[in-house]
Structures are given as C-alpha cells and as structure tokens.
Amino acid sequence: MCNGCVHKEYPDRGNTCLENGSYLMNYLGCASCHQRDFVLISNKATEDEDGEELVTYDHVCKNCDHVIARHEYTFSVVDEYQEYTMLCMLCGKAEDSISVLPDDPRQSAPLF
C-alpha cells in the first residue's frame, strides 16, 4: 500500500461503506509512474464465514499495476441489525448499522 498515492490515509467516511469501487476524491495519482488515470480493481475475493461476508481487493494503477491500497469490506447480521464496515487507505474507514425491521427501534421516540 502506498501513502504517496492518496491525499489522506484512511479518511473518516462516516457510514459510507463501499463494497466495490474507489473513492477518487482521495486519489492524488500514482506515486510510481506519476500518472493520474483510472484506478482498477484486482485480486477481488469474497469469503463467507459464520454468517459474515468479507470482500477484499486491491486498488491498482491502470498504467503500471502499482498497488495503491488494499480494500476490506465486511457485512454481517447481528441480532436485528445489518452491520457494515470498510477499511481502506484510499476509500477510508466507515461503519454502518441498519435495522432489519421496518421501523428501527433506535430511531423511535420514547413512549413516556
């Protein structure tokens, strides 16, 4: 992974978790070939283990195959919530939790 290719390492993305794609706003350009071109995805792998899905892939330079960053995305269901996480030097770090119920109990107003 290369910190010379990004504006900021692991930027905080709040609850925006990307299962695929690239956060190009954080991409400076390739530190190896000094070009700012498309970022490709390679070595994509998906594992499903004990109800948790793990997606990993590399962001690579289109011109010289330099590895810019390693992307990790997880998805799982815990109790009544879908849990998402993302960790990537280019795309950032993020977490999200969404209720599987029609009305999220955390969002409802107290009755009394």
Side-chain angles (χ1 to χ4, degrees):
M1 295 186 296
C2 181
N3 60 0
C5 296
V6 297
H7 286 286
K8 182 178 181 183
E9 293 181 33
Y10 302 99
D12 183 6
R13 298 291 305 280
N15 62 357
T16 302
C17 298
L18 304 174
E19 182 177 354
N20 55 36
S22 304
Y23 182 48
L24 297 178
M25 295 292 293
N26 193 36
Y27 181 53
L28 276 173
C30 180
S32 181
C33 71
H34 308 290
Q35 299 292 316
R36 189 172 195 283
D37 208 339
F38 293 109
V39 174
L40 302 178
I41 292 173
S42 70
N43 302 323
K44 188 169 184 175
T46 303
E47 296 176 28
D48 195 353
E49 199 171 291
D50 297 328
E52 180 174 281
E53 179 183 5
L54 173 64
V55 177
T56 58
Y57 58 86
D58 294 330
H59 296 285
V60 297
C61 174
K62 173 188 169 194
N63 298 306
C64 70
D65 293 328
H66 173 71
V67 177
I68 299 161
R70 178 97 173 135
H71 190 101
E72 293 183 9
Y73 166 87
T74 61
F75 167 78
S76 61
V77 177
V78 178
D79 296 326
E80 297 175 345
Y81 295 93
Q82 295 176 338
E83 304 285 335
Y84 303 87
T85 64
M86 175 184 74
L87 184 63
C88 176
M89 185 183 292
L90 175 65
C91 299
K93 57 185 174 185
E95 293 182 349
D96 198 9
S97 178
I98 300 171
S99 175
V100 296
L101 301 173
D103 294 318
D104 189 343
R106 297 174 296 188
Q107 303 297 324
S108 62
L111 297 174
F112 301 100

